Structures are given as C-alpha cells and as structure tokens.
C-alpha cells in the first residue's frame, strides 16, 4: 500500500458507514483518504454526505445501460478514473460483475450485516432474527464473485435481544459495523494485508 492509500467508496443508501470513514479520514494519521464516492442511484443521503465533505461523486445506474455487463464496465471505468488503492463497498446493494473484479478483485472489500457464512444476501438482520440466533454481527470481506462469500477480513459480534425488531437489531449491528469498518480499513491502509486462499492477514 502506498502512503495514505486512495479509497473509492460505493454506497446505495444512508451512508452512515461512509460517514464513519469520512470522519476517520479527516485525521491524516488514520492513513487513508476517500478520493471519490460512487452510487448506483441518485438522491441518496450517502451522496449528500460526500458532497458535504467536498469529495467528488459519481452515479452509475443499472437502468441506464443496455446490459448488466455494460453497467459493470461503466462502473469499473468510473472507479478507475480515481485510481483507487482500495475500493470499499459500504452498503452498496449491487453485486459487482466480472469486469469489475478483473480490475479491482483482491482490493475491494464489502461489509455485510451478519456473521458470515451465516445469512448471506439482502436480509441479514431479518434472517438472523427469524432463525433465532442469540448473537449476530457484521463481516468485512474481500469481494469475490459470490454473494457475501469472500475471504473474511474482520467480524464484529452483537447480541440479539428478546424484544428486537429487524430495525433495532440492524441499528445495533450498524454501530458495531461502523467501528469494525473504520478499524479494519485503517489497518489495511497503514499495515497492508495479504490474502492467502480464504485467510486474510493484516500487516502485509
Ligand atoms: C449496512 O448495514 C450494510 O452492511 C448493509 O446496509 C447497511 C448500510 O448502511 N448492506 P449505511 O448506508 O452505511 O448507513
């Protein structure tokens, strides 16, 4: 990793994970900087957060392209324009495709609101609650072609309360998720990391 590696962050929603990264990056000793924020939709709080922080933004909507492959290539081109060292998917609700992974595989991480390999997909908090687990959490992983299957960088555990709803559980997960994301991305930036099969080691 170069000094102060360049992060491109992709979002689809409220962007609280992005905000945690933006806040951390405000201190140069954190070791990384957010050089751009991209989204797959307009008018989301995630993009507004980037704008307020003075970070350039871009949007690539699947519906604006004739195929998913063309969208994936356009997204990869937009990301590449900012020359990232690390791409962070922070609540980005689309699967990136083959072209994206050819270009950014091994240096794209995603955060998932469940303890992988349990409860992959769009509804991690709901699925954990319905299953009746007593602990769940969040997982940061190196993105591969599967759905939330990549090699695990870090995990954070939270308890499930008897009176939780999907919303209260997801909020508790997100609090832990933001701390884990900031801590792990900072360490990846400052110390480097290696991926050996499914084993990720921080500290190059
Ligand atoms: C996070 O829990 C993320 O893991 C999930 O959606 C949430 C995004 O939250 N996929 P935010 O947009 O960062 O507030």
């Amino acid at each position: 990793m170069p000094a102060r590696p360049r992060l491109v962050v992709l979002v689809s929603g409220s962007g609280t994970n992005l905000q945690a990264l933006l806040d951390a990056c405000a201190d140069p000793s954190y070791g990384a900087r957010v050089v751009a924020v991209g989204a797959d939709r307009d008018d989301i709080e995630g993009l507004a957060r980037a704008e307020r922080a003075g970070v350039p933004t871009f949007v690539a909507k699947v519906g604006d392209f004739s195929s998913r492959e063309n969208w994936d290539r356009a997204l990869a081109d937009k990301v590449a324009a900012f020359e990232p060292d690390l791409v962070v998917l922070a609540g980005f609700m689309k699967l990136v495709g083959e072209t994206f992974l050819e270009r950014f595989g091994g240096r794209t991480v995603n955060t998932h609101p469940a303890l992988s390999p349990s409860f992959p997909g769009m509804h991690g908090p709901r699925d954990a609650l319905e299953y009746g687990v007593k602990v769940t959490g969040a997982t940061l992983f190196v993105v591969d072609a599967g759905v939330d299957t990549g090699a695990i960088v870090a995990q954070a555990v939270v308890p499930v309360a008897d009176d939780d709803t999907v919303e209260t559980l997801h909020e508790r997960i997100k609090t832990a998720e933001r701390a884990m994301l900031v801590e792990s991305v900072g360490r990846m930036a400052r110390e480097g990391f290696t991926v050996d099969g499914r084993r990720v080691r921080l500290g190059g």
Side-chain angles (χ1 to χ4, degrees):
M1 282 280 169
R4 289 202 81 196
R6 300 166 63 84
L7 310 181
V8 170
V9 183
L10 301 184
V11 297
S12 297
S14 63
T16 63
N17 280 284
L18 164 68
Q19 188 68 55
L21 281 173
L22 288 169
D23 292 348
C25 287
D27 177 353
S29 70
Y30 179 65
R33 55 202 156 130
V34 179
V35 295
V37 172
D40 63 328
R41 59 198 78 185
D42 296 312
D43 297 328
I44 54 171
E45 184 58 18
L47 289 172
R49 288 175 192 275
E51 280 154 21
R52 286 198 293 272
V55 172
T57 62
F58 58 87
V59 175
K61 293 188 229 174
V62 173
D64 287 347
F65 295 88
S66 55
S67 68
R68 187 79 183 202
E69 291 71 27
N70 287 343
W71 168 78
D72 188 56
R73 189 169 308 110
L75 179 70
D77 285 344
K78 284 173 189 281
V79 169
F82 292 97
E83 302 180 344
D85 299 299
L86 196 62
V87 181
V88 181
L89 311 188
F92 187 61
M93 304 307 273
K94 290 279 184 306
L95 287 180
V96 296
E98 219 172 284
T99 303
F100 192 97
L101 287 175
E102 272 164 20
R103 287 159 81 173
F104 301 109
R107 55 193 175 112
T108 298
V109 292
N110 190 9
T111 170
H112 175 60
L115 291 177
S116 298
S118 295
F119 313 122
M122 302 278 281
H123 301 290
R126 182 198 71 189
D127 295 346
L129 194 63
E130 283 181 359
Y131 195 91
V133 292
K134 300 303 185 193
V135 294
T136 183
T139 301
L140 183 70
F141 61 94
V142 180
V143 175
D144 66 8
V147 179
D148 302 322
T149 51
I152 293 169
V153 179
Q155 293 186 297
V157 179
V158 303
V160 180
D162 289 346
D163 59 353
D164 263 335
T165 62
V166 174
E167 291 71 31
T168 60
L169 179 58
H170 197 179
E171 276 313 309
R172 190 176 311 113
I173 292 169
K174 284 179 68 169
T175 301
E177 185 177 31
R178 287 189 286 267
M180 173 192 70
L181 181 69
V182 166
E183 158 80 15
S184 303
V185 168
R187 287 194 60 194
M188 291 170 96
R190 293 186 303 271
E191 303 169 23
F193 65 101
T194 54
V195 183
D196 177 14
R198 289 210 54 86
R199 309 282 296 271
V200 180
R201 208 173 49 232
L202 296 173

